[in-house]
Amino acid sequence: MMGLMTQRPDTSSAWIVTIDGPAASGKSSVARRVAEALGIPYVSSGLLYRAATYLVLREKVPADDEAAVMALLSRHRLRLEPDNRVWCNDQEISAALHTDTIDAAVSAVSRHPSVRRWAYDLLRELRGPFVIDGRDMGTVAFPDATHKFYLTASAEARAQRRRPERNGSLREVIAALERRDALDHKQLSPAPDACQVDTTALTLDEVVAKVLLYLRSR
Ligand code: DC
């Protein structure tokens, strides 16, 4: 078993694993651990939408004005490195991107088609191999990805996981997640060729083990 868990499949620069799912479904923890086990980078695609939202809030641009948001993005150079550090021009902004304020505003920015195209272009510049998480990595950004996963979990299980990182009661965290799910729903559907995993009753270790076993068996 141990050999199976540490052995890396034959990866090349075209080798991409996508892990999609709703907020707090465990994608980022799973993607990070799977990437570590395989010895390849983990990329969080949501960071680009968070970085765009950070700029929108900082520059007080109306988030629902697609043209104004795109004009803002063209005036600044946002960069995502394969180690998940994010830069705005020459300033690192990674530490400012996981806040309640950005959580609440990010869907309004990420729903614009031109913002999504901007993000896909930046993501497709990254060289594989890598594991990437998001909402539509397997459906739109990397339809030819080598392996695709789609994680789900009940709203309550997701809120319990998210709560230590956010303010508010369990009910408030569930309500905030459900609001974001409703706003993100357009991007949220499993690729037809994705392996779906319901993580509600599974520990992180169990989900990681499932994903790695699936990858080794292909
Ligand atoms: O994965 P995350 O919570 O960091 O993502 C932040 C927001 O960005 C999320 O509310 C929806 C959006 N997002 C998206 O629309 N498509 C992606 N591939 C990743 C994130």
Side-chain angles (χ1 to χ4, degrees):
M1 185 73 173
M2 203 51 217
L4 195 64
M5 299 302 284
T6 51
Q7 171 202 335
R8 174 171 148 173
D10 186 17
T11 55
S12 72
S13 65
W15 206 84
I16 295 173
V17 176
T18 59
I19 302 190
D20 289 310
S25 55
K27 326 178 278 294
S28 60
S29 314
V30 172
R32 182 177 296 112
R33 290 266 307 271
V34 166
E36 247 170 49
L38 298 174
I40 62 179
Y42 153 61
V43 180
S44 164
S45 65
L47 287 173
L48 279 177
Y49 298 107
R50 289 178 179 276
T53 307
Y54 162 90
L55 258 185
V56 160
L57 295 172
R58 193 186 77 183
E59 304 294 317
K60 300 191 171 46
V61 164
D64 57 357
D65 184 338
E66 183 168 5
V69 172
M70 283 314 292
L72 177 70
L73 292 178
S74 68
R75 285 199 300 276
H76 296 271
R77 199 166 108 80
L78 288 177
R79 222 157 22 95
L80 169 63
E81 296 193 343
D83 61 1
N84 287 323
R85 290 201 300 167
V86 184
W87 299 81
C88 176
N89 305 317
D90 290 327
Q91 184 198 357
E92 188 179 354
I93 57 168
S94 319
L97 301 181
H98 285 96
T99 63
D100 288 332
T101 324
I102 289 184
D103 279 1
V106 64
S107 301
V109 174
S110 66
R111 74 185 172 86
H112 297 309
S114 52
V115 173
R116 304 199 70 78
R117 282 194 295 275
W118 163 87
Y120 301 142
D121 286 347
L122 289 176
L123 292 171
R124 289 179 188 137
E125 280 174 17
L126 297 171
R127 271 181 64 82
F130 54 77
V131 179
I132 189 161
D133 78 337
R135 301 294 188 286
D136 55 356
M137 294 298 97
T139 45
V140 185
F142 300 103
D144 299 327
T146 328
H147 298 289
K148 302 176 184 180
F149 295 88
Y150 190 85
L151 305 188
T152 57
S154 70
E156 185 172 343
R158 293 188 288 127
Q160 260 155 0
R161 293 172 191 162
R162 178 53 56 96
R163 201 167 154 215
E165 308 158 15
R166 295 293 190 273
N167 300 313
S169 67
L170 186 63
R171 275 171 78 133
E172 286 165 338
V173 178
I174 291 178
L177 280 175
E178 286 180 336
R179 265 198 306 278
R180 198 137 69 95
D181 286 354
L183 292 168
D184 291 342
H185 80 279
K186 260 196 173 156
Q187 285 79 249
L188 258 180
S189 62
D193 50 347
C195 167
Q196 294 196 44
V197 183
D198 182 348
T199 71
T200 305
L202 300 177
T203 64
L204 174 60
D205 282 348
E206 288 169 334
V207 183
V208 171
K210 249 184 197 293
V211 170
L212 287 173
L213 266 177
Y214 180 92
L215 289 175
R216 317 291 192 209
S217 67
R218 298 287 117 177

PDB file of all heavy atoms in Angstrom, residues 175-207:
ATOM      1  N   ALA A 175     -25.208  29.813   5.730  1.00  0.00           N
ATOM      2  CA  ALA A 175     -25.935  30.768   4.874  1.00  0.00           C
ATOM      3  C   ALA A 175     -24.981  31.434   3.883  1.00  0.00           C
ATOM      4  O   ALA A 175     -25.311  31.579   2.698  1.00  0.00           O
ATOM      5  CB  ALA A 175     -26.639  31.807   5.741  1.00  0.00           C
ATOM      6  N   ALA A 176     -23.777  31.805   4.353  1.00  0.00           N
ATOM      7  CA  ALA A 176     -22.809  32.460   3.458  1.00  0.00           C
ATOM      8  C   ALA A 176     -22.361  31.496   2.361  1.00  0.00           C
ATOM      9  O   ALA A 176     -22.234  31.880   1.192  1.00  0.00           O
ATOM     10  CB  ALA A 176     -21.609  32.966   4.265  1.00  0.00           C
ATOM     11  N   LEU A 177     -22.157  30.220   2.720  1.00  0.00           N
ATOM     12  CA  LEU A 177     -21.740  29.230   1.710  1.00  0.00           C
ATOM     13  C   LEU A 177     -22.856  29.014   0.690  1.00  0.00           C
ATOM     14  O   LEU A 177     -22.587  28.923  -0.517  1.00  0.00           O
ATOM     15  CB  LEU A 177     -21.441  27.885   2.382  1.00  0.00           C
ATOM     16  CG  LEU A 177     -20.084  27.736   3.061  1.00  0.00           C
ATOM     17  CD1 LEU A 177     -19.996  26.392   3.770  1.00  0.00           C
ATOM     18  CD2 LEU A 177     -18.959  27.845   2.042  1.00  0.00           C
ATOM     19  N   GLU A 178     -24.091  28.942   1.181  1.00  0.00           N
ATOM     20  CA  GLU A 178     -25.208  28.705   0.251  1.00  0.00           C
ATOM     21  C   GLU A 178     -25.407  29.885  -0.688  1.00  0.00           C
ATOM     22  O   GLU A 178     -25.717  29.711  -1.863  1.00  0.00           O
ATOM     23  CB  GLU A 178     -26.487  28.347   1.024  1.00  0.00           C
ATOM     24  CG  GLU A 178     -26.367  26.914   1.559  1.00  0.00           C
ATOM     25  CD  GLU A 178     -27.567  26.425   2.345  1.00  0.00           C
ATOM     26  OE1 GLU A 178     -28.307  27.268   2.884  1.00  0.00           O
ATOM     27  OE2 GLU A 178     -27.749  25.187   2.422  1.00  0.00           O
ATOM     28  N   ARG A 179     -25.166  31.097  -0.163  1.00  0.00           N
ATOM     29  CA  ARG A 179     -25.256  32.286  -1.035  1.00  0.00           C
ATOM     30  C   ARG A 179     -24.204  32.192  -2.130  1.00  0.00           C
ATOM     31  O   ARG A 179     -24.464  32.437  -3.300  1.00  0.00           O
ATOM     32  CB  ARG A 179     -25.000  33.559  -0.214  1.00  0.00           C
ATOM     33  CG  ARG A 179     -26.266  34.252   0.287  1.00  0.00           C
ATOM     34  CD  ARG A 179     -25.995  35.694   0.695  1.00  0.00           C
ATOM     35  NE  ARG A 179     -24.924  35.845   1.664  1.00  0.00           N
ATOM     36  CZ  ARG A 179     -25.057  35.675   2.982  1.00  0.00           C
ATOM     37  NH1 ARG A 179     -26.223  35.332   3.498  1.00  0.00           N
ATOM     38  NH2 ARG A 179     -24.035  35.844   3.801  1.00  0.00           N
ATOM     39  N   ARG A 180     -22.975  31.808  -1.732  1.00  0.00           N
ATOM     40  CA  ARG A 180     -21.896  31.744  -2.718  1.00  0.00           C
ATOM     41  C   ARG A 180     -22.163  30.612  -3.728  1.00  0.00           C
ATOM     42  O   ARG A 180     -21.933  30.772  -4.926  1.00  0.00           O
ATOM     43  CB  ARG A 180     -20.547  31.549  -2.009  1.00  0.00           C
ATOM     44  CG  ARG A 180     -19.368  31.908  -2.883  1.00  0.00           C
ATOM     45  CD  ARG A 180     -18.319  32.703  -2.136  1.00  0.00           C
ATOM     46  NE  ARG A 180     -17.630  31.920  -1.131  1.00  0.00           N
ATOM     47  CZ  ARG A 180     -16.477  31.302  -1.326  1.00  0.00           C
ATOM     48  NH1 ARG A 180     -15.898  31.356  -2.511  1.00  0.00           N
ATOM     49  NH2 ARG A 180     -15.883  30.654  -0.359  1.00  0.00           N
ATOM     50  N   ASP A 181     -22.695  29.470  -3.259  1.00  0.00           N
ATOM     51  CA  ASP A 181     -23.042  28.369  -4.186  1.00  0.00           C
ATOM     52  C   ASP A 181     -24.028  28.858  -5.232  1.00  0.00           C
ATOM     53  O   ASP A 181     -23.897  28.554  -6.416  1.00  0.00           O
ATOM     54  CB  ASP A 181     -23.737  27.222  -3.444  1.00  0.00           C
ATOM     55  CG  ASP A 181     -22.776  26.403  -2.602  1.00  0.00           C
ATOM     56  OD1 ASP A 181     -21.564  26.646  -2.687  1.00  0.00           O
ATOM     57  OD2 ASP A 181     -23.268  25.550  -1.847  1.00  0.00           O
ATOM     58  N   ALA A 182     -25.063  29.633  -4.757  1.00  0.00           N
ATOM     59  CA  ALA A 182     -26.100  30.095  -5.681  1.00  0.00           C
ATOM     60  C   ALA A 182     -25.474  31.032  -6.712  1.00  0.00           C
ATOM     61  O   ALA A 182     -25.779  30.947  -7.908  1.00  0.00           O
ATOM     62  CB  ALA A 182     -27.202  30.799  -4.910  1.00  0.00           C
ATOM     63  N   LEU A 183     -24.569  31.885  -6.262  1.00  0.00           N
ATOM     64  CA  LEU A 183     -23.944  32.838  -7.189  1.00  0.00           C
ATOM     65  C   LEU A 183     -22.968  32.131  -8.138  1.00  0.00           C
ATOM     66  O   LEU A 183     -22.796  32.532  -9.281  1.00  0.00           O
ATOM     67  CB  LEU A 183     -23.196  33.921  -6.396  1.00  0.00           C
ATOM     68  CG  LEU A 183     -24.085  34.879  -5.595  1.00  0.00           C
ATOM     69  CD1 LEU A 183     -23.258  35.715  -4.624  1.00  0.00           C
ATOM     70  CD2 LEU A 183     -24.849  35.792  -6.547  1.00  0.00           C
ATOM     71  N   ASP A 184     -22.326  31.066  -7.653  1.00  0.00           N
ATOM     72  CA  ASP A 184     -21.312  30.367  -8.461  1.00  0.00           C
ATOM     73  C   ASP A 184     -21.909  29.261  -9.323  1.00  0.00           C
ATOM     74  O   ASP A 184     -21.175  28.583 -10.039  1.00  0.00           O
ATOM     75  CB  ASP A 184     -20.258  29.708  -7.546  1.00  0.00           C
ATOM     76  CG  ASP A 184     -19.373  30.718  -6.823  1.00  0.00           C
ATOM     77  OD1 ASP A 184     -19.325  31.882  -7.262  1.00  0.00           O
ATOM     78  OD2 ASP A 184     -18.733  30.343  -5.827  1.00  0.00           O
ATOM     79  N   HIS A 185     -23.265  29.046  -9.238  1.00  0.00           N
ATOM     80  CA  HIS A 185     -23.817  27.806  -9.781  1.00  0.00           C
ATOM     81  C   HIS A 185     -23.546  27.616 -11.265  1.00  0.00           C
ATOM     82  O   HIS A 185     -23.440  26.498 -11.739  1.00  0.00           O
ATOM     83  CB  HIS A 185     -25.325  27.693  -9.479  1.00  0.00           C
ATOM     84  CG  HIS A 185     -26.164  28.501 -10.415  1.00  0.00           C
ATOM     85  ND1 HIS A 185     -26.355  29.850 -10.248  1.00  0.00           N
ATOM     86  CD2 HIS A 185     -26.831  28.161 -11.549  1.00  0.00           C
ATOM     87  CE1 HIS A 185     -27.118  30.304 -11.238  1.00  0.00           C
ATOM     88  NE2 HIS A 185     -27.414  29.306 -12.026  1.00  0.00           N
ATOM     89  N   LYS A 186     -23.396  28.729 -12.003  1.00  0.00           N
ATOM     90  CA  LYS A 186     -23.175  28.615 -13.454  1.00  0.00           C
ATOM     91  C   LYS A 186     -21.899  27.839 -13.766  1.00  0.00           C
ATOM     92  O   LYS A 186     -21.824  27.108 -14.742  1.00  0.00           O
ATOM     93  CB  LYS A 186     -23.043  30.016 -14.049  1.00  0.00           C
ATOM     94  CG  LYS A 186     -24.291  30.515 -14.709  1.00  0.00           C
ATOM     95  CD  LYS A 186     -23.905  31.671 -15.566  1.00  0.00           C
ATOM     96  CE  LYS A 186     -24.946  32.209 -16.437  1.00  0.00           C
ATOM     97  NZ  LYS A 186     -24.607  33.613 -16.749  1.00  0.00           N
ATOM     98  N   GLN A 187     -20.872  28.086 -12.938  1.00  0.00           N
ATOM     99  CA  GLN A 187     -19.582  27.449 -13.176  1.00  0.00           C
ATOM    100  C   GLN A 187     -19.526  26.042 -12.600  1.00  0.00           C
ATOM    101  O   GLN A 187     -18.572  25.316 -12.805  1.00  0.00           O
ATOM    102  CB  GLN A 187     -18.448  28.233 -12.503  1.00  0.00           C
ATOM    103  CG  GLN A 187     -18.041  29.500 -13.179  1.00  0.00           C
ATOM    104  CD  GLN A 187     -19.012  30.627 -12.877  1.00  0.00           C
ATOM    105  OE1 GLN A 187     -19.730  31.073 -13.749  1.00  0.00           O
ATOM    106  NE2 GLN A 187     -19.043  31.082 -11.641  1.00  0.00           N
ATOM    107  N   LEU A 188     -20.558  25.721 -11.762  1.00  0.00           N
ATOM    108  CA  LEU A 188     -20.452  24.528 -10.930  1.00  0.00           C
ATOM    109  C   LEU A 188     -21.164  23.326 -11.508  1.00  0.00           C
ATOM    110  O   LEU A 188     -22.328  23.095 -11.207  1.00  0.00           O
ATOM    111  CB  LEU A 188     -21.082  24.827  -9.577  1.00  0.00           C
ATOM    112  CG  LEU A 188     -20.127  25.130  -8.433  1.00  0.00           C
ATOM    113  CD1 LEU A 188     -20.905  25.410  -7.169  1.00  0.00           C
ATOM    114  CD2 LEU A 188     -19.155  23.994  -8.229  1.00  0.00           C
ATOM    115  N   SER A 189     -20.505  22.557 -12.338  1.00  0.00           N
ATOM    116  CA  SER A 189     -21.083  21.273 -12.710  1.00  0.00           C
ATOM    117  C   SER A 189     -19.924  20.343 -13.032  1.00  0.00           C
ATOM    118  O   SER A 189     -18.902  20.768 -13.565  1.00  0.00           O
ATOM    119  CB  SER A 189     -22.031  21.409 -13.894  1.00  0.00           C
ATOM    120  OG  SER A 189     -21.319  21.871 -15.000  1.00  0.00           O
ATOM    121  N   PRO A 190     -20.074  19.079 -12.672  1.00  0.00           N
ATOM    122  CA  PRO A 190     -18.976  18.153 -12.897  1.00  0.00           C
ATOM    123  C   PRO A 190     -18.765  17.901 -14.386  1.00  0.00           C
ATOM    124  O   PRO A 190     -19.731  17.869 -15.146  1.00  0.00           O
ATOM    125  CB  PRO A 190     -19.436  16.871 -12.190  1.00  0.00           C
ATOM    126  CG  PRO A 190     -20.877  17.042 -11.886  1.00  0.00           C
ATOM    127  CD  PRO A 190     -21.237  18.485 -12.012  1.00  0.00           C
ATOM    128  N   ALA A 191     -17.517  17.752 -14.795  1.00  0.00           N
ATOM    129  CA  ALA A 191     -17.246  17.342 -16.180  1.00  0.00           C
ATOM    130  C   ALA A 191     -17.804  15.928 -16.335  1.00  0.00           C
ATOM    131  O   ALA A 191     -17.784  15.146 -15.383  1.00  0.00           O
ATOM    132  CB  ALA A 191     -15.735  17.345 -16.427  1.00  0.00           C
ATOM    133  N   PRO A 192     -18.321  15.601 -17.545  1.00  0.00           N
ATOM    134  CA  PRO A 192     -18.905  14.260 -17.720  1.00  0.00           C
ATOM    135  C   PRO A 192     -17.892  13.151 -17.440  1.00  0.00           C
ATOM    136  O   PRO A 192     -18.264  12.065 -17.020  1.00  0.00           O
ATOM    137  CB  PRO A 192     -19.338  14.245 -19.191  1.00  0.00           C
ATOM    138  CG  PRO A 192     -19.027  15.588 -19.760  1.00  0.00           C
ATOM    139  CD  PRO A 192     -18.407  16.455 -18.722  1.00  0.00           C
ATOM    140  N   ASP A 193     -16.599  13.460 -17.647  1.00  0.00           N
ATOM    141  CA  ASP A 193     -15.577  12.425 -17.417  1.00  0.00           C
ATOM    142  C   ASP A 193     -14.883  12.582 -16.065  1.00  0.00           C
ATOM    143  O   ASP A 193     -13.803  12.045 -15.848  1.00  0.00           O
ATOM    144  CB  ASP A 193     -14.542  12.439 -18.558  1.00  0.00           C
ATOM    145  CG  ASP A 193     -13.995  13.835 -18.845  1.00  0.00           C
ATOM    146  OD1 ASP A 193     -14.584  14.836 -18.353  1.00  0.00           O
ATOM    147  OD2 ASP A 193     -12.976  13.930 -19.555  1.00  0.00           O
ATOM    148  N   ALA A 194     -15.520  13.336 -15.120  1.00  0.00           N
ATOM    149  CA  ALA A 194     -14.900  13.510 -13.797  1.00  0.00           C
ATOM    150  C   ALA A 194     -15.285  12.362 -12.870  1.00  0.00           C
ATOM    151  O   ALA A 194     -16.397  11.848 -12.937  1.00  0.00           O
ATOM    152  CB  ALA A 194     -15.350  14.836 -13.186  1.00  0.00           C
ATOM    153  N   CYS A 195     -14.361  11.993 -11.994  1.00  0.00           N
ATOM    154  CA  CYS A 195     -14.657  11.024 -10.937  1.00  0.00           C
ATOM    155  C   CYS A 195     -15.249  11.814  -9.767  1.00  0.00           C
ATOM    156  O   CYS A 195     -14.611  12.726  -9.249  1.00  0.00           O
ATOM    157  CB  CYS A 195     -13.343  10.347 -10.544  1.00  0.00           C
ATOM    158  SG  CYS A 195     -13.450   9.409  -9.029  1.00  0.00           S
ATOM    159  N   GLN A 196     -16.486  11.515  -9.385  1.00  0.00           N
ATOM    160  CA  GLN A 196     -17.150  12.295  -8.329  1.00  0.00           C
ATOM    161  C   GLN A 196     -16.970  11.628  -6.972  1.00  0.00           C
ATOM    162  O   GLN A 196     -17.117  10.414  -6.853  1.00  0.00           O
ATOM    163  CB  GLN A 196     -18.639  12.418  -8.632  1.00  0.00           C
ATOM    164  CG  GLN A 196     -18.900  13.252  -9.884  1.00  0.00           C
ATOM    165  CD  GLN A 196     -20.351  13.690  -9.966  1.00  0.00           C
ATOM    166  OE1 GLN A 196     -20.944  14.127  -8.993  1.00  0.00           O
ATOM    167  NE2 GLN A 196     -20.919  13.574 -11.158  1.00  0.00           N
ATOM    168  N   VAL A 197     -16.624  12.448  -5.962  1.00  0.00           N
ATOM    169  CA  VAL A 197     -16.415  11.911  -4.613  1.00  0.00           C
ATOM    170  C   VAL A 197     -17.237  12.746  -3.634  1.00  0.00           C
ATOM    171  O   VAL A 197     -17.041  13.956  -3.530  1.00  0.00           O
ATOM    172  CB  VAL A 197     -14.913  11.993  -4.206  1.00  0.00           C
ATOM    173  CG1 VAL A 197     -14.710  11.352  -2.834  1.00  0.00           C
ATOM    174  CG2 VAL A 197     -14.009  11.355  -5.255  1.00  0.00           C
ATOM    175  N   ASP A 198     -18.167  12.098  -2.918  1.00  0.00           N
ATOM    176  CA  ASP A 198     -18.910  12.781  -1.856  1.00  0.00           C
ATOM    177  C   ASP A 198     -18.079  12.670  -0.582  1.00  0.00           C
ATOM    178  O   ASP A 198     -17.866  11.574  -0.060  1.00  0.00           O
ATOM    179  CB  ASP A 198     -20.286  12.131  -1.672  1.00  0.00           C
ATOM    180  CG  ASP A 198     -21.105  12.859  -0.598  1.00  0.00           C
ATOM    181  OD1 ASP A 198     -20.546  13.702   0.142  1.00  0.00           O
ATOM    182  OD2 ASP A 198     -22.307  12.575  -0.491  1.00  0.00           O
ATOM    183  N   THR A 199     -17.608  13.810  -0.082  1.00  0.00           N
ATOM    184  CA  THR A 199     -16.654  13.802   1.040  1.00  0.00           C
ATOM    185  C   THR A 199     -17.352  14.010   2.389  1.00  0.00           C
ATOM    186  O   THR A 199     -16.670  14.107   3.404  1.00  0.00           O
ATOM    187  CB  THR A 199     -15.579  14.893   0.860  1.00  0.00           C
ATOM    188  OG1 THR A 199     -16.190  16.189   1.067  1.00  0.00           O
ATOM    189  CG2 THR A 199     -14.975  14.860  -0.523  1.00  0.00           C
ATOM    190  N   THR A 200     -18.706  14.094   2.404  1.00  0.00           N
ATOM    191  CA  THR A 200     -19.425  14.435   3.650  1.00  0.00           C
ATOM    192  C   THR A 200     -18.954  13.580   4.829  1.00  0.00           C
ATOM    193  O   THR A 200     -18.666  14.093   5.908  1.00  0.00           O
ATOM    194  CB  THR A 200     -20.946  14.253   3.460  1.00  0.00           C
ATOM    195  OG1 THR A 200     -21.347  15.023   2.335  1.00  0.00           O
ATOM    196  CG2 THR A 200     -21.720  14.722   4.692  1.00  0.00           C
ATOM    197  N   ALA A 201     -18.890  12.262   4.609  1.00  0.00           N
ATOM    198  CA  ALA A 201     -18.593  11.367   5.735  1.00  0.00           C
ATOM    199  C   ALA A 201     -17.145  10.891   5.731  1.00  0.00           C
ATOM    200  O   ALA A 201     -16.793   9.964   6.448  1.00  0.00           O
ATOM    201  CB  ALA A 201     -19.539  10.174   5.676  1.00  0.00           C
ATOM    202  N   LEU A 202     -16.307  11.536   4.924  1.00  0.00           N
ATOM    203  CA  LEU A 202     -14.921  11.065   4.815  1.00  0.00           C
ATOM    204  C   LEU A 202     -13.960  12.046   5.473  1.00  0.00           C
ATOM    205  O   LEU A 202     -14.193  13.260   5.459  1.00  0.00           O
ATOM    206  CB  LEU A 202     -14.525  10.908   3.337  1.00  0.00           C
ATOM    207  CG  LEU A 202     -15.341   9.924   2.496  1.00  0.00           C
ATOM    208  CD1 LEU A 202     -14.861   9.941   1.052  1.00  0.00           C
ATOM    209  CD2 LEU A 202     -15.222   8.508   3.073  1.00  0.00           C
ATOM    210  N   THR A 203     -12.877  11.546   6.035  1.00  0.00           N
ATOM    211  CA  THR A 203     -11.829  12.442   6.540  1.00  0.00           C
ATOM    212  C   THR A 203     -10.978  12.881   5.356  1.00  0.00           C
ATOM    213  O   THR A 203     -11.021  12.271   4.271  1.00  0.00           O
ATOM    214  CB  THR A 203     -10.916  11.721   7.549  1.00  0.00           C
ATOM    215  OG1 THR A 203     -10.238  10.667   6.843  1.00  0.00           O
ATOM    216  CG2 THR A 203     -11.699  11.149   8.717  1.00  0.00           C
ATOM    217  N   LEU A 204     -10.176  13.908   5.599  1.00  0.00           N
ATOM    218  CA  LEU A 204      -9.279  14.385   4.540  1.00  0.00           C
ATOM    219  C   LEU A 204      -8.368  13.250   4.059  1.00  0.00           C
ATOM    220  O   LEU A 204      -8.195  13.037   2.852  1.00  0.00           O
ATOM    221  CB  LEU A 204      -8.457  15.571   5.081  1.00  0.00           C
ATOM    222  CG  LEU A 204      -7.374  16.105   4.161  1.00  0.00           C
ATOM    223  CD1 LEU A 204      -7.958  16.611   2.849  1.00  0.00           C
ATOM    224  CD2 LEU A 204      -6.607  17.240   4.858  1.00  0.00           C
ATOM    225  N   ASP A 205      -7.800  12.484   5.026  1.00  0.00           N
ATOM    226  CA  ASP A 205      -6.911  11.366   4.662  1.00  0.00           C
ATOM    227  C   ASP A 205      -7.626  10.375   3.747  1.00  0.00           C
ATOM    228  O   ASP A 205      -7.036   9.857   2.799  1.00  0.00           O
ATOM    229  CB  ASP A 205      -6.454  10.615   5.917  1.00  0.00           C
ATOM    230  CG  ASP A 205      -5.352  11.368   6.646  1.00  0.00           C
ATOM    231  OD1 ASP A 205      -4.802  12.335   6.059  1.00  0.00           O
ATOM    232  OD2 ASP A 205      -5.062  11.011   7.799  1.00  0.00           O
ATOM    233  N   GLU A 206      -8.908  10.111   4.058  1.00  0.00           N
ATOM    234  CA  GLU A 206      -9.653   9.124   3.260  1.00  0.00           C
ATOM    235  C   GLU A 206      -9.886   9.633   1.837  1.00  0.00           C
ATOM    236  O   GLU A 206      -9.784   8.869   0.880  1.00  0.00           O
ATOM    237  CB  GLU A 206     -10.989   8.796   3.940  1.00  0.00           C
ATOM    238  CG  GLU A 206     -10.805   7.959   5.207  1.00  0.00           C
ATOM    239  CD  GLU A 206     -12.072   7.849   6.052  1.00  0.00           C
ATOM    240  OE1 GLU A 206     -12.941   8.755   5.989  1.00  0.00           O
ATOM    241  OE2 GLU A 206     -12.180   6.873   6.797  1.00  0.00           O
ATOM    242  N   VAL A 207     -10.188  10.927   1.707  1.00  0.00           N
ATOM    243  CA  VAL A 207     -10.422  11.470   0.357  1.00  0.00           C
ATOM    244  C   VAL A 207      -9.116  11.433  -0.448  1.00  0.00           C
ATOM    245  O   VAL A 207      -9.101  11.023  -1.613  1.00  0.00           O
ATOM    246  CB  VAL A 207     -10.971  12.914   0.403  1.00  0.00           C
ATOM    247  CG1 VAL A 207     -11.259  13.418  -0.997  1.00  0.00           C
ATOM    248  CG2 VAL A 207     -12.230  13.004   1.259  1.00  0.00           C
TER     249      VAL A 207
END
